[in-house]
Amino acid sequence: MNTIKSGWMLDRVKYQPAVERFARRLMDERRPFLSLPEGAERGVRFNSDDAVMARIESNYTEEEFMSCPGLYIENMLIDAAKSDFWYSYEIDYNDPIQEDNENAE
């Protein structure tokens, strides 16, 4: 699996509508009961079906996803929650080095 900046890609391959509906139902079922690790929070990305779906489609082919959908949904929910935490607590918008690094990529 390739490393994907920010958890998702713009040129990802969209899943078939039936698979996407299935994934969204599973997200709704699992999200309220998921125990998050330290350094993660239930923020905007975690609570957005579209954001989590973009992460899933970016990181797994449709076939990979369907082989273990619950695990992959939980992985991407946690990834989104870690991103929420980072944007809430870790990012320093006044850090010129961090800004230079982001502009270089």
Side-chain angles (χ1 to χ4, degrees), residues 1 3-4 8 14-15 17-18 23 26 31 33 36 41 45 53-54 63 69 73 76 80 89 91-92 97 99-100 103:
M1 183 170 75
T3 303
I4 300 169
W8 60 280
K14 304 276 291 166
Y15 290 176
L26 280 179
R31 186 181 282 122
F33 305 105
L36 296 177
E41 70 175 41
R45 292 161 192 81
M53 196 69 220
E63 294 77 24
I73 284 175
M76 295 299 99
Y89 302 105
I91 193 168
D92 180 0
I97 294 174
E99 187 175 307
D100 288 344
N103 290 336

Side-chain angles (χ1 to χ4, degrees), residues 78-89:
I78 290 170
D79 184 66
K82 287 180 177 180
S83 180
D84 284 328
F85 181 88
W86 187 80
Y87 277 100
S88 294
Y89 302 105

